[in-house]
Amino acid sequence: MNLDIMRRLASTLPEGKKKDEMMRSIENIASQDKKKDGLYDEFDFTAKGKIKLEEIDEKGNVVGVLQEKDNLVVNGAEEILLRAFSGDTDRVLYKNRIPKALGGVTGKYHIGLAGNISEVIDGTSQLTVAPNIFWNAVRDEDFVVTYGYRPKTVFLKEEVTEQVGKKAFSISTVSVTGSIPLTAELYSSETNTFIGLGDGKYRTVDLADARIVKAGGFSVKAGKLEATTVNAKLTIEEKMTNLTFEYEKSNLGGQIEVSVDGVVKTTLEAYDSTATDPKVAVYEVLGLTDEVSHKLELKYTGSDASITGTPKVVITSLKTNGLTGSMNSLAHEFESFTKSFNTITSYNTTTVPPFVVQLEHFPVVKGTDTVKYGDTVFTRATSKETVAEGKYFIDEKTGILYFNRALTGLSITNDITGEIYELKSAALLTASKVTHTITNEPITGADGTKKDFDLANKVISAGTIVIKVNNATVTNYTLLNGKVTFATAPLNTDTIVASYSTTVDAVKYVPKGAIDTVKVNNFATGTALAKVTAANDFTDGKFMIDSTGALLISTKDADASVITNFEIIYTSPDLPGFATGYKRAIILKEKVGAAYPWYQLDKGTVSFIADFNEKVPGYNVTIREMGLFDGPRKDDKVDGFTGFPVDAFSLVTVGDTRKETTTGIRVTWTIKLINKDGNAFYAGY
């Protein structure tokens, strides 16, 4: 690390003994370097670390240790580490609190102050101590707590104290008589570090990556690794637990010998005499651990003698969860919305026929559902009627699975389409109307004696009808239930037209987000209603989207039969899947004390702690990887985050760790600096 950077780091530390020791150590190193031949102002350190993954209960108490592992520090971490130690004034994080109480006013809090809570300065009442002093006296459970780069202001009012020697105050969301603005708690003036979780098994390695050593004739052609020379070999060596590769099977394919750590695992046959066009096959290497490096070798060992043409082996992709210093992100971090539920969820069927399971998330993508009962993998039946022992039928639209008997502890995974499915009773939806505008409807049949004429619609909106005879507006008529009665019978030579508004009965459904695509069905018959865009086209068996984004649905089917229940299936850009509730966790800060985050300069370490409580994410997940980042994601919607570049300080793969919806997990991430002699890097050296 450059000594100038170390001086910058040391200058930002609080005044005191440790700062003085660090400054002296830096200058000692500088003076020693000057005695060497040439100018030496660099010295090395290695950042190493360890993460501990603990299960916590709803009160934050540790239940047990799930994982404890070393981590990998990525390139570019030096600046992040510098900011973590020294502070980054451009990224001040605030802890915003808004009172939960009805009316937006909290109860009383008491605080020990020698003087008054406020005093008048330049004609304005101001608090006598920093906002954080007051925030230390409140109960977080009384507030909606968020974190942001922008502070939210509330109002503090002094109250009558009930404790001797202490002052009392309340907090409100709006200014009241005698209140004083109170800004948010200054949560951290240091770099705001976040911890993220993911379930990625691997990421694709660029086939031109230098980690893939090519020998004996392997080369990259058209984005693939290809060899036509026997004994050509590919090698990759790193710490990894998951590794798969894809290869082509064709009528020119040869044999691929797969070795791990010098031991032959298998020989794959890539020859398929019937495959005039190559087919891609997948092989997964099992039994790896990231405690040590593993060496994978793929060797072209020969080909079938009957091949006419030039035999070859082709590797189309290689995927591994091995980490390198050049990586700056997780293979797959949990998302704000998901469509995949590949961590097993346990279900029980109903105890009486029909024996069914209702999935928590649906509609289901056809063919993605898997069901296991103990060691038995169930197969899909083609209908409810063909359900038998070891078979089930699934209605993908409703997420209902049918079985032949009562079962407990079924292990199920599935993907969902991202559509929102609603089964709604017409009686429980809001009654509404759709207005039709009728212009110049002809009234025919006049013969000089007839006075009564029926309009095309019986329901006429009050005050909307205008009747013209020979292009002149007339008023010598009465209107009742769509029947016009003239005072004087019009002649057969008269031209009569009517303009008016009429309404069609409908029900209104308010969606959970803006509608992109939508289908509405009569649940009883499965008949689809037709979508229209113009109100005048709205009739029985139709639906439309109104100006507010709500659905207006006809109460009758196209055959005029009354609809009792509606199936509404739609997609929304606001809800592209199941809302997981996941976001990167902000590093926890102790309520008292200036040390953040937990510096131990005498040991050369700094520790970060973050909690992922129950329902974060809001579905069962398997944690395979973790990252320590110097900022949030855009999806985390941290108030005031402007999208500045967010980098990883460190990444780590962990053994598959299951987190139930009801499970809380605490991550403790300790970074230790090691100097060039292999000792703890403290007090500057």
Side-chain angles (χ1 to χ4, degrees):
M1 179 181 274
N2 189 288
L3 285 178
D4 287 338
I5 293 178
M6 289 302 298
R7 289 188 181 100
R8 285 168 52 200
L9 186 157
S11 67
T12 58
L13 294 174
E15 296 296 330
K17 180 180 178 181
K18 286 184 178 178
K19 179 176 180 178
D20 293 340
E21 289 176 350
M22 178 175 275
M23 293 299 293
R24 282 197 299 272
S25 296
I26 292 171
E27 298 311 321
N28 284 340
I29 293 169
S31 63
Q32 292 169 10
D33 285 342
K34 289 176 182 177
K35 298 175 183 178
K36 300 175 183 178
D37 294 333
L39 179 62
Y40 294 88
D41 65 348
E42 300 275 340
F43 62 95
D44 295 326
F45 77 84
T46 301
K48 294 184 177 180
K50 186 176 289 291
I51 63 103
K52 187 189 325 187
L53 197 57
E54 298 171 304
E55 183 176 351
I56 58 173
D57 61 22
E58 67 278 3
K59 296 181 180 178
N61 300 316
V62 175
V63 178
V65 176
L66 299 172
Q67 293 284 345
E68 192 163 2
K69 295 201 56 136
D70 292 335
N71 68 283
L72 169 118
V73 178
V74 301
N75 291 348
E78 180 182 287
E79 262 321 293
I80 301 172
L81 189 64
L82 175 62
R83 289 201 303 267
F85 272 97
S86 65
D88 183 354
T89 56
D90 292 335
R91 299 187 193 173
V92 173
L93 193 69
Y94 296 92
K95 186 174 183 177
N96 291 311
R97 297 176 178 86
I98 302 297
K100 290 179 182 177
L102 188 65
V105 182
T106 68
K108 289 183 185 180
Y109 303 105
H110 290 81
I111 186 171
L113 283 181
N116 295 324
I117 279 182
S118 65
E119 60 184 35
V120 177
I121 300 175
D122 296 331
T124 303
S125 292
Q126 298 185 23
L127 299 174
T128 57
V129 295
N132 280 22
I133 303 298
F134 295 103
W135 288 122
N136 286 338
V138 306
R139 295 182 298 272
D140 276 357
E141 54 266 31
D142 298 339
F143 299 86
V144 175
V145 177
T146 59
Y147 297 87
Y149 294 102
R150 295 192 188 100
K152 293 182 179 178
T153 299
V154 290
F155 298 89
L156 180 148
K157 181 182 178 183
E158 186 167 359
E159 305 283 359
V160 176
T161 185
E162 297 168 351
Q163 297 182 16
V164 177
K166 291 189 175 182
K167 303 290 185 180
F169 65 92
S170 63
I171 294 173
S172 61
T173 55
V174 296
S175 178
V176 296
T177 303
S179 66
I180 301 171
L182 174 68
T183 192
E185 176 185 342
L186 181 63
Y187 183 77
S188 164
S189 59
E190 285 82 0
T191 292
N192 315 122
T193 313
F194 295 70
I195 287 177
L197 306 177
D199 66 347
K201 285 187 175 182
Y202 37 61
R203 71 181 78 214
T204 300
V205 179
D206 187 332
L207 295 181
D209 193 305
R211 284 180 292 165
I212 304 176
V213 179
K214 310 163 190 69
F218 261 112
S219 61
V220 178
K221 293 184 179 179
K224 304 174 184 179
L225 281 168
E226 183 177 313
T228 56
T229 306
V230 174
N231 293 326
K233 187 166 60 176
L234 297 175
T235 306
I236 183 169
E237 185 173 6
E238 59 187 3
K239 288 185 177 180
M240 51 191 165
T241 58
N242 293 308
L243 187 148
T244 68
F245 63 89
E246 297 178 348
Y247 61 98
E248 287 186 356
K249 299 190 73 170
S250 72
N251 56 9
L252 294 176
Q255 287 87 42
I256 306 170
E257 183 183 87
V258 182
S259 300
V260 177
D261 299 331
V263 177
V264 176
K265 289 285 187 182
T266 188
T267 297
L268 302 173
E269 180 58 76
Y271 174 59
D272 183 348
S273 60
T274 64
T276 52
D277 294 320
K279 302 175 184 177
V280 175
V282 179
Y283 183 80
E284 181 177 4
V285 180
L286 302 175
L288 303 180
T289 171
D290 64 356
E291 297 299 324
V292 296
S293 289
H294 293 287
K295 184 177 183 180
L296 170 75
E297 291 183 344
L298 303 180
K299 185 178 180 181
Y300 173 23
T301 56
S303 59
D304 193 280
S306 63
I307 292 177
T308 57
T310 304
K312 62 182 178 180
V313 295
V314 179
I315 307 299
T316 59
S317 79
L318 190 148
K319 301 175 182 179
T320 171
N321 68 342
L323 299 174
T324 71
S326 62
M327 294 175 181
N328 205 30
S329 65
L330 299 176
H332 179 254
E333 188 169 359
F334 295 124
E335 298 153 331
S336 301
F337 295 91
T338 189
K339 295 180 183 178
S340 294
F341 299 90
N342 4 357
T343 295
I344 290 171
T345 298
S346 181
Y347 288 92
N348 301 330
T349 68
T350 53
T351 56
V352 295
F355 303 106
V356 299
V357 163
Q358 173 65 70
L359 294 180
E360 188 175 357
H361 309 290
F362 55 93
V364 175
V365 176
K366 190 174 182 64
T368 62
D369 44 293
T370 62
V371 178
K372 284 185 67 177
Y373 181 58
D375 294 330
T376 303
V377 179
F378 277 44
T379 58
R380 280 184 290 274
T382 55
S383 66
K384 296 179 191 177
E385 292 71 29
T386 57
V387 168
E389 188 65 23
K391 286 188 173 185
Y392 69 97
F393 173 74
I394 180 170
D395 182 337
E396 285 93 357
K397 183 169 58 178
T398 62
I400 298 176
L401 286 75
Y402 296 83
F403 296 83
N404 72 326
R405 62 185 176 95
L407 297 166
T408 60
L410 289 163
S411 300
I412 301 177
T413 64
N414 65 280
D415 291 347
I416 61 173
T417 63
E419 296 170 305
I420 298 164
Y421 175 91
E422 298 271 70
L423 178 58
K424 291 292 182 180
S425 167
L428 297 179
L429 293 174
T430 304
S432 187
K433 302 280 187 182
V434 174
T435 300
H436 285 199
T437 301
I438 309 300
T439 303
N440 294 334
E441 178 184 308
I443 297 178
T444 59
D447 58 7
T449 60
K450 184 177 179 181
K451 294 182 178 182
D452 297 331
F453 299 87
D454 289 322
L455 296 175
N457 298 281
K458 291 188 176 185
V459 179
I460 309 299
S461 302
T464 65
I465 191 163
V466 175
I467 295 179
K468 292 182 178 182
V469 177
N470 299 325
N471 211 30
T473 301
V474 298
T475 58
N476 61 335
Y477 64 89
T478 59
L479 175 67
L480 181 64
N481 294 331
K483 184 183 291 292
V484 176
T485 302
F486 289 96
T488 302
L491 302 175
N492 62 356
T493 56
D494 290 336
T495 301
I496 311 168
V497 295
S499 298
Y500 56 90
S501 294
T502 184
T503 58
V504 180
D505 288 336
V507 287
K508 178 183 284 190
Y509 167 76
V510 179
K512 297 176 180 178
I515 290 177
D516 187 7
T517 63
V518 61
K519 295 176 285 188
V520 179
N521 301 325
N522 181 338
F523 177 70
T525 64
T527 304
L529 280 70
K531 182 183 177 184
V532 297
T533 56
N536 276 11
D537 296 329
F538 187 92
T539 56
D540 291 347
K542 306 288 179 65
F543 73 93
M544 62 182 291
I545 302 174
D546 71 9
S547 58
T548 68
L551 283 180
L552 297 175
I553 309 171
S554 169
T555 57
K556 296 180 181 179
D557 217 331
D559 61 2
S561 59
V562 175
I563 301 176
T564 305
N565 295 296
F566 296 99
E567 277 186 334
I568 305 169
I569 307 166
Y570 63 98
T571 59
S572 171
D574 302 325
L575 298 165
F578 168 69
T580 66
Y582 168 79
K583 58 174 65 176
R584 287 180 181 170
I586 298 171
I587 302 303
L588 298 180
K589 178 178 183 290
E590 287 184 313
K591 199 73 170 144
V592 295
Y596 170 72
W598 296 282
Y599 297 125
Q600 294 178 295
L601 295 181
D602 57 333
K603 298 178 181 177
T605 65
V606 55
S607 295
F608 305 91
I609 299 178
D611 284 358
F612 293 86
N613 298 316
E614 60 178 336
K615 298 182 181 178
V616 181
Y619 64 112
N620 298 338
V621 296
T622 301
I623 300 171
R624 295 189 177 95
E625 50 179 349
M626 300 168 56
L628 180 60
F629 302 92
D630 70 340
R633 309 170 306 166
K634 289 183 179 179
D635 287 353
D636 294 339
K637 295 183 179 177
V638 173
D639 188 35
F641 175 56
T642 57
F644 54 75
V646 172
D647 297 317
F649 172 79
S650 190
L651 302 173
V652 66
T653 56
V654 296
D656 289 10
T657 302
R658 184 181 176 91
K659 183 183 186 302
E660 305 278 351
T661 306
T662 55
T663 303
I665 284 182
R666 173 169 296 155
V667 178
T668 301
W669 203 311
T670 301
I671 303 298
K672 187 181 184 75
L673 304 182
I674 307 299
N675 66 19
K676 61 185 179 182
D677 298 323
N679 300 316
F681 184 94
Y682 62 92
Y685 183 68

